[in-house]
Structure formats: structure tokens, C-alpha cells
Amino acid sequence: MSSAHNPAVGNAKIVVVLGAGGFVGKNLMLRLAERPAEFHGIGLTRSTPSEVATRALVGGDVIINLAGVNRPQDDGDFLPGNAAPVEQIIAALSNAGRAVPVIHISSSRAVDGTPYGMSKLAAEQMMLAFAG
């Protein structure tokens, strides 16, 4: 439920942050918490149950995707690790018929042809196709 319909957050914008457990995500959550009249941050991590994450995504006013994998044990884990958060966003918003701003953070390495870069590029392409 967006902030327009959620009296618990007043007029604050609900900002859903995927990757809230990472370095950038933790710091973003701290900054959002410093401005409670403007923002209500909801942090999602790999351990967030799927149904909880879906409710948060559908209820957000804006989604920031910082999630991804950059040091897996196997190169084959790059693509699912970097595509899964995008797939989760797309499924949640599509199924709910919601259109909200999504800020997708990728990598400058998305063009370098490495397994990591190719996985980040694939996630970018999925997000761009969803945006239309």
C-alpha cells in the first residue's frame, strides 16, 4: 500500500530498497531514516521471505534495486543472482498492475564481456524491456 493510503507513514514516501544488506544499501537506509517526514525506507535482503518482499514492492512509492551478486563461488551464479531481483520486481508490479518509479543500479562493467558484466547487462535489458 503506497504512502497515500498508509496512515502509518503519513506523507512520507515509501522507498523499497532491494540489496539493503550491502554496503550502499545499508548507507542508503541510514540516510532515509534521517528524514522520516519525507521517507519511509523498507529494506529487502536475500533473506527476506518472497511474500514479504512482494508486499513491500507492491506497496512502495519508489523502488531502488541495489541487489546483486558480485563474488559468487561459481561464475554460473552471476546470472541468476543479478537477474532474480529484477524478475522479482517485474513479477510483483506486473501482477499487481502497479506502475511505480524503479531506480535500477547496474555496473560500469556491464559492457566488459565478463560473466559478471554479462549478467548485469542482462538485468539492465530486462528492466528496460519492462519499462517499455
Side-chain angles (χ1 to χ4, degrees):
M1 187 165 284
S2 71
S3 61
H5 300 85
N6 188 343
V9 298
N11 292 325
K13 295 290 182 193
I14 297 174
V15 180
V16 181
V17 179
L18 286 87
F23 178 77
V24 175
K26 286 178 185 175
N27 283 284
L28 176 58
M29 293 300 295
L30 288 171
R31 297 300 169 255
L32 293 172
E34 291 173 352
R35 301 173 71 172
E38 297 172 75
F39 304 108
H40 176 75
I42 298 176
L44 304 178
T45 66
R46 286 188 190 106
S47 63
T48 303
S50 179
E51 61 279 357
V52 172
T54 297
R55 279 196 307 275
L57 290 166
V58 169
D61 293 311
V62 64
I63 297 167
I64 302 174
N65 181 24
L66 301 168
V69 171
N70 62 3
R71 292 182 196 94
Q73 290 186 349
D74 182 82
D75 282 355
D77 294 333
F78 279 122
L79 185 58
N82 288 316
V86 173
E87 291 169 342
Q88 187 175 33
I89 294 167
I90 291 170
L93 296 180
S94 295
N95 292 338
R98 295 240 22 240
V100 300
V102 176
I103 301 168
H104 175 77
I105 306 303
S106 186
S107 170
S108 61
R109 294 191 49 207
V111 296
D112 71 6
T114 64
Y116 171 74
M118 290 185 296
S119 72
K120 294 304 273 187
L121 180 60
E124 284 180 19
Q125 291 170 337
M126 290 169 55
M127 191 58 72
L128 287 170
F130 175 66

